[in-house]
Amino acid sequence: MTHVKPHGALNNLARIDASVAAAITRGVAGVDRSLIMLAPAGSELLAAAERGGLPTASEVFADRAYTADGNLAPRALPGAVIHDAQQAAGPSPSP
């Protein structure tokens, strides 16, 4: 095993709740401090793992829309899943 990634509701909660993020970080560090914490970019989980001295990797989803507060848009919402490769790739760099 090389990394840890909380899934679903736990990941969503750890993204915004510092105490949950800290608890996950302590648990991972207690098992193996070399495990990489895969966490949403800009999240409490990423910050907690960095403060806890764990190696980290930031996660984003190019094929998903995000809400204004940085959460993944619920799949039930129109446009939440991006099917167009150009749109997923993002805007072209300016010349």
Side-chain angles (χ1 to χ4, degrees):
M1 186 163 69
T2 60
H3 69 279
V4 174
K5 178 195 181 315
H7 281 266
L10 181 60
N11 196 43
N12 291 337
L13 185 58
R15 192 190 76 70
I16 59 171
D17 188 318
S19 64
V20 172
I24 293 169
T25 297
R26 285 191 305 273
V28 171
V31 171
D32 185 344
R33 298 193 66 77
S34 72
L35 290 172
I36 300 164
M37 180 70 76
L38 181 57
S43 69
E44 290 291 337
L45 182 57
L46 186 66
E50 289 170 345
R51 282 192 303 273
L54 294 176
T56 61
S58 296
E59 174 182 52
V60 296
F61 296 93
D63 65 339
R64 292 290 302 280
Y66 286 83
T67 61
D69 65 359
N71 282 315
L72 285 171
R75 289 179 183 269
L77 292 178
V81 179
I82 299 169
H83 299 282
D84 180 82
Q86 286 293 106
Q87 184 183 3
S92 299
S94 299

